[in-house]
Amino acid sequence: MTSIDLLSGGTGEPRAVLTARGLTKSFGDFKAVSNVDLDVRHARIHALIGPNGAGKTTVFNLLTKFHQPSSGEIRLLGEDVTRAKPDRVARMGLVRSFQISAVFPHLSVLDNLRVALQRPQGLATQFWRSTGALDVLTPRAMELLNLVGLEREAGSLAADLSYGRKRLLEIATTLALEPTVLLLDEPLAGMGQEDIRRVAGVIRDAARTRAVLMVEHNLSVVADLCHEVTVLQRGEVLAHGDYAEVSRNPQVRAAYMGSEEA
């Protein structure tokens, strides 16, 4: 799909590249997600928020095909992927991060990026090539490390990074996969203010050329970053709109925001 395809005809309005209609998931008698509609648009940051147990992670698992929906439809880049396998949607450009940092702890920071870059560069299956063949990936890996502010730690073991710096490395590795749709599960959790500012800037820059859907509990970041917000409660959509709109909704304030000012 080209950049022109990602814009609605004539209006310049970004097209929804990941959609869900009537998305429902039951585990036995428990309905974790019920009739969720979602439109994630190119070059927009969309937040999925709600109290603990609202179904946010289940929605992520459904969109990335770690769970199959009980009913409903998921479309990625206009194609029905409701019953697709996780590897297929990943090859189509849907890439996800997780709440728990997922890096290779005993590789250097630079090598974590070079491993991630193998797939988009067509080297992932060329196991017979020498490790020196990965040198061609170093310039792009360093670009990504510069982007997230980890260039000085390129030679350090990933295991030696602080939690916040590991999350920065994980975001860099997801960007190395050149996603069309980027799903971020609590990308700012456990970070100090300096890292929060850095990651928020990285997410904003990333969204210039791709769609971003993020689960996030830091409401000040959601207010600052996100173009659209969907609020879940007990697995259902409680409200949808921009942050100012949903934060004024009395049901949202009662269910999630309490007395916190927008």
Side-chain angles (χ1 to χ4, degrees):
M1 179 173 287
T2 68
S3 58
I4 295 175
D5 294 325
L6 296 172
L7 299 177
S8 298
T11 67
E13 179 69 18
R15 187 183 300 276
V17 293
L18 175 64
T19 65
R21 291 291 179 269
L23 196 60
T24 299
K25 179 63 179 179
S26 296
F27 297 95
D29 294 332
F30 173 63
K31 189 172 285 187
V33 172
S34 179
N35 202 35
V36 167
D37 291 347
L38 197 64
D39 291 287
V40 183
R41 300 184 182 279
H42 175 68
R44 292 289 186 270
I45 304 173
H46 193 133
L48 193 62
I49 69 172
N52 289 334
K56 304 180 297 294
T57 297
T58 301
V59 168
F60 260 39
N61 286 335
L62 291 168
L63 295 174
T64 53
K65 314 310 303 157
F66 285 89
H67 293 324
Q68 290 293 345
S70 302
S71 61
E73 180 184 76
I74 303 168
R75 301 188 75 87
L76 176 60
L77 303 177
E79 184 174 338
D80 187 343
V81 295
T82 308
R83 300 298 168 189
K85 301 293 186 183
D87 60 327
R88 181 172 169 227
V89 297
R91 288 195 300 270
M92 291 175 68
L94 192 152
V95 176
R96 174 189 180 175
S97 74
F98 292 85
Q99 291 179 9
I100 300 172
S101 182
V103 299
F104 295 108
H106 301 300
L107 293 181
S108 71
V109 170
L110 176 61
D111 281 342
N112 267 269
L113 263 296
R114 298 203 305 177
V115 168
L117 285 165
Q118 288 182 67
R119 194 187 77 185
Q121 295 295 324
L123 298 176
T125 59
Q126 297 183 23
F127 56 86
W128 62 87
R129 301 188 67 171
S130 70
T131 55
L134 298 182
D135 290 345
V136 69
L137 305 177
T138 299
R140 175 57 179 158
M142 289 305 302
E143 285 180 17
L144 289 163
L145 292 179
N146 273 279
L147 180 67
V148 299
L150 289 177
E151 65 278 6
R152 293 184 179 179
E153 286 116 316
S156 301
L157 287 179
D160 294 335
L161 297 178
S162 68
Y163 175 78
R165 307 298 272 176
K166 285 178 183 174
R167 296 309 302 266
L168 285 164
L169 176 57
E170 182 184 2
I171 290 174
T173 59
T174 60
L175 292 175
L177 298 174
E178 299 179 2
T180 301
V181 185
L182 179 59
L183 273 59
L184 300 173
D185 199 351
E186 298 190 35
L188 306 174
M191 289 189 179
Q193 285 303 311
E194 181 179 349
D195 285 339
I196 286 175
R197 286 192 294 270
R198 167 74 72 171
V199 172
V202 170
I203 294 171
R204 183 180 286 110
D205 288 343
R208 298 182 194 279
T209 55
R210 57 182 56 85
V212 176
L213 176 65
M214 59 188 288
V215 169
E216 183 52 56
H217 289 292
N218 188 323
L219 297 184
S220 63
V221 171
V222 171
D224 181 54
L225 271 185
C226 298
H227 303 90
E228 297 182 63
V229 180
T230 296
V231 186
L232 294 182
Q233 183 185 29
R234 299 188 184 96
E236 299 181 348
V237 174
L238 181 63
H240 172 77
D242 61 26
Y243 182 82
E245 181 180 354
V246 301
S247 66
R248 290 193 298 265
N249 186 309
Q251 292 178 296
V252 172
R253 298 182 72 85
Y256 183 57
M257 298 179 182
S259 61
E260 183 175 352
E261 293 298 325

